[in-house]
Amino acid sequence: MADGLDLGEPPQPVKQDAYRVLARKYRPQTFSELIGQEAMVRTLENAIRRDRIAHAFLMTGVRGVGKTSTARLIAKALNCIGPDGTGGPTIDPCGVCEPCRAIAEGRHIDVIEMDAASHTGVDDVREIIEASRYAAVSARYKIYIVDEVHMLSKNAFNALLKTLEEPPAHVKFLFATTEVNKVPVTVLSRCQRFDLRRISAEQLASHFAFVTDKEGAVAEPEALMLIARAAEGSARDGLSILDQAISHADLEGGGVTTEAVRQMLGLSDRGAVRELFGQILAGDAPSALATLKRQYDYGVDPLSVFRALLEAVHGVTLTKVGTPPDLAQPAEERAARERWAAALSFPVLHRLWQLFLKGHDEIGHAALPIEAAEMALLRAIHASTLPDPGELAKQIASGKVAPIAVPPVAAPSAPAPVDAAAGRRDPASFAELVDLLDAGKFMALAARLRHSARVVRFAPGQLVLSGSRPLSADMLAELVGALRTVTGQGWKVEFEDQDGTPSLREQDDAAEEGRRLAAWNSDMVMAAREHFPETEMEDWPGKRSNA
């Protein structure tokens, strides 16, 4: 109070409206704003014009394609009365009459929305059934919108069946679900079903450009295309990403750039992918690993790199088949794909697809993702330099390439028979000692030593064997006598509690297995295995039995 005057309350700050995210702000308010669903809109338009409106509708599709929005638009279309209050059902609701505005704001008393994820029981459905008997309060139709209807229990579905089949004339049911396979067939048969399609990347990018302009922001076309691809057909997901990108751009003081979106999404740079793909085809392992590591240091997920490589192979294959080029792709991308399509055969492209797909799967389950990515990359580089199996067969037939010669299992050469009277002979190894025993007519003893004896130490006149497989006292005495006979000198044979080296038989088996694996992993066989993935390695011809 000043000089006895009452100045009243001080001025209050103007309360700002709460920010609404783009996905809610740009929710379709008319069927013309519903992008990518022209076939469904045409069907509804014909049904309304001919007064053939079904009593129950089921909208299905992936997240964010407009199922719930379509249900609300149908509710507006059926209850619109026009600006003058005399209109009837229309595919173009006016948006200004009281029913249109109340439905858009979610406050119409005759349009009831229910989330089936939190109202799954038969009691919830019973409430709908009881209320549906009464006429609408102020609208033309009483409409029930049930989101994620597949979450209802079996009993709830059964309770709804009779009312759903023969509802009162003033009632319409609108169901939305992402998992239509979980909805009972008895319910599906009572509904008019609409399958909402994924929205194409081109349509999403165009819509995002419109939203960006309305928001007073600036965005590069390629950045919007990256967001559209990341959305995977979902307008809601794409608008959420765009919302984040615009906020990021404001903080940086610039528009929505391609590089900023790429970093925000953790996507691999397309230029880097083209560079990496070219290095793989050239067999340049050091450069390819360096490119992969550089992308990893930028924060790009190895899975994202291999997904981009899969997209590159797919794009090159489609170009080679002759499909029209994707005009949304940069000119450099289209030129690179045409160049690779001319240079690569279909077998090579199919092999690269399988290699990258296998690498993608391995990285997704690996404890060390970047290491798994590097190994998968090296495997692809090695295979990219091999001819395809058909070409390799032609080269072998023409004599340009010799078929693989598999080395036979070499039999040990038997030393000359030993005459003890001829004097002393010192074996240089345990294997030579066993051969001397075998040649000196101690075959059974030699076979036992070759099969099970593990040597701890060997020197002329001294043999130390592993105690894990000791000889009997009689056989030990026989061995000492036989050694004296074949070498002309006395031997000291003892046992120690150590593992020792593998037996001669185990060493032979390991060498044999090594030769088998060398043949199995040879260039020609690897190429054949890529072409025939079900190929298995049979037992080696003449392989010894374990018996």
Side-chain angles (χ1 to χ4, degrees):
M1 181 178 293
D3 298 331
L5 296 177
D6 185 1
L7 300 180
E9 292 291 333
Q12 300 294 324
V14 178
K15 184 178 180 180
Q16 297 182 348
D17 294 333
Y19 175 71
R20 284 197 302 162
V21 296
L22 298 182
R24 292 188 58 195
K25 187 175 182 180
Y26 292 94
R27 184 187 293 271
Q29 298 301 319
T30 64
F31 281 104
S32 61
E33 296 177 4
L34 190 66
I35 58 176
Q37 313 300 338
E38 291 78 9
M40 182 197 67
V41 173
R42 191 180 308 113
T43 302
L44 284 172
E45 180 179 10
N46 292 336
I48 291 174
R49 285 179 177 175
R50 297 173 182 176
D51 195 22
R52 300 176 62 89
I53 304 170
H55 60 269
F57 297 87
L58 175 70
M59 274 68 67
T60 179
V62 299
R63 72 205 182 280
V65 292
K67 298 183 297 298
T68 307
S69 296
T70 299
R72 292 172 181 171
L73 289 177
I74 293 175
K76 289 169 65 175
L78 297 181
N79 283 327
C80 178
I81 59 175
D84 57 1
T86 60
T90 173
I91 195 65
D92 296 312
C94 66
V96 297
C97 67
E98 176 57 24
C100 283
R101 289 188 289 109
I103 293 172
E105 296 170 5
R107 56 179 177 81
H108 199 293
I109 191 172
D110 292 319
V111 178
I112 300 96
E113 292 194 31
M114 187 184 86
D115 176 21
S118 54
H119 299 81
T120 63
V122 67
D123 291 337
D124 300 303
V125 170
R126 189 176 291 116
E127 290 181 11
I128 294 178
I129 296 172
E130 292 295 331
S132 66
R133 299 176 181 177
Y134 303 100
V137 176
S138 61
R140 185 178 296 113
Y141 293 104
K142 178 178 284 190
I143 294 177
Y144 292 94
I145 300 175
V146 184
D147 199 10
E148 299 300 339
V149 69
H150 66 273
M151 299 292 288
L152 289 178
S153 67
K154 181 179 179 180
N155 290 337
F157 274 124
N158 290 336
L160 186 62
L161 285 178
K162 190 61 179 177
T163 302
L164 188 61
E165 184 173 19
E166 298 178 0
H170 59 272
V171 173
K172 303 292 182 183
F173 289 99
L174 306 178
F175 301 137
T177 179
T178 54
E179 300 183 50
V180 69
N181 59 300
K182 293 184 179 180
V183 179
V185 177
T186 50
V187 173
L188 293 177
S189 65
R190 290 164 168 81
C191 300
Q192 191 171 99
R193 173 174 168 176
F194 293 105
D195 289 81
L196 277 69
R197 302 169 52 189
R198 288 181 184 269
I199 307 171
S200 69
E202 291 75 15
Q203 289 176 309
L204 285 176
S206 176
H207 181 58
F208 297 157
F210 165 77
V211 172
T212 303
D213 182 64
K214 294 286 288 184
E215 291 293 305
V218 179
E220 296 178 358
E222 188 174 350
L224 296 179
M225 183 57 70
L226 283 178
I227 295 174
R229 290 197 185 96
E232 297 182 341
S234 169
R236 183 175 62 235
D237 288 7
L239 286 172
S240 298
I241 298 173
L242 179 62
D243 216 341
Q244 182 181 357
I246 293 175
S247 298
H248 180 75
D250 289 339
L251 291 175
E252 297 294 330
V256 178
T257 64
T258 304
E259 183 61 28
V261 171
R262 191 172 281 125
Q263 292 181 1
M264 184 182 74
L265 297 177
L267 297 176
S268 183
D269 177 68
R270 288 197 170 271
V273 171
R274 291 195 298 272
E275 180 184 8
L276 179 59
F277 192 60
Q279 292 163 346
I280 293 172
L281 296 179
D284 188 354
S287 299
L289 290 176
T291 302
L292 176 64
K293 185 64 166 59
R294 185 167 61 251
Q295 289 289 293
Y296 183 71
D297 291 340
Y298 287 158
V300 178
D301 184 9
L303 271 176
S304 176
V305 175
F306 269 73
R307 178 172 179 173
L309 288 172
L310 284 168
E311 291 175 351
V313 174
H314 179 256
V316 173
T317 307
L318 292 183
T319 301
K320 190 171 184 66
V321 169
T323 57
D326 183 0
L327 299 180
Q329 296 284 354
E332 298 85 355
E333 185 84 10
R334 296 197 299 270
R337 289 184 176 183
E338 291 173 359
R339 184 173 65 254
W340 288 325
L344 300 175
S345 65
F346 282 114
V348 171
L349 288 169
H350 295 326
R351 187 195 314 160
L352 286 171
W353 174 266
Q354 292 296 330
L355 289 167
F356 290 148
L357 192 63
K358 180 176 176 60
H360 186 277
D361 184 63
E362 290 175 351
I363 295 167
H365 297 86
L368 302 171
I370 183 60
E371 286 79 359
E374 290 175 342
M375 295 302 293
L377 204 63
L378 291 174
R379 183 170 60 220
I381 290 171
H382 172 74
S384 68
T385 61
L386 299 176
D388 62 80
E391 181 64 26
L392 192 59
K394 292 179 182 177
Q395 294 180 15
I396 293 174
S398 64
K400 295 181 181 179
V401 177
I404 296 175
V406 179
V409 180
S413 57
V418 176
D419 184 358
R424 170 180 171 176
R425 177 175 177 180
D426 291 334
S429 65
F430 176 68
E432 187 174 336
L433 177 64
V434 173
D435 290 340
L436 287 174
L437 289 171
D438 191 56
K441 300 183 180 180
F442 297 99
M443 280 91 70
L445 186 59
R448 176 66 185 274
L449 292 175
R450 182 175 286 112
H451 189 277
S452 60
R454 293 182 174 178
V455 178
V456 177
R457 284 190 304 279
F458 174 84
Q462 183 183 22
L463 177 61
V464 181
L465 300 176
S466 172
S468 62
R469 297 180 179 178
L471 301 175
S472 65
D474 292 342
M475 188 167 288
L476 179 60
E478 182 185 356
L479 175 59
V480 172
L483 291 177
R484 179 182 291 277
T485 300
V486 298
T487 64
Q489 65 170 322
W491 280 74
K492 181 180 181 181
V493 181
E494 54 187 345
F495 298 96
E496 284 189 5
D497 190 17
Q498 297 187 34
D499 291 336
T501 60
S503 68
L504 296 178
R505 171 65 180 274
E506 292 169 339
Q507 294 178 35
D508 289 344
D509 288 346
E512 181 178 319
E513 184 66 19
R515 286 188 288 272
R516 295 176 71 226
L517 291 177
W520 181 247
N521 293 318
S522 62
D523 289 350
M524 189 185 81
V525 177
M526 284 285 288
R529 288 166 58 193
E530 291 293 340
H531 197 66
F532 304 100
E534 301 299 327
T535 302
E536 296 181 357
M537 179 167 56
E538 295 183 353
D539 286 343
W540 191 264
K543 180 180 176 182
R544 291 192 304 268
S545 171
N546 291 329

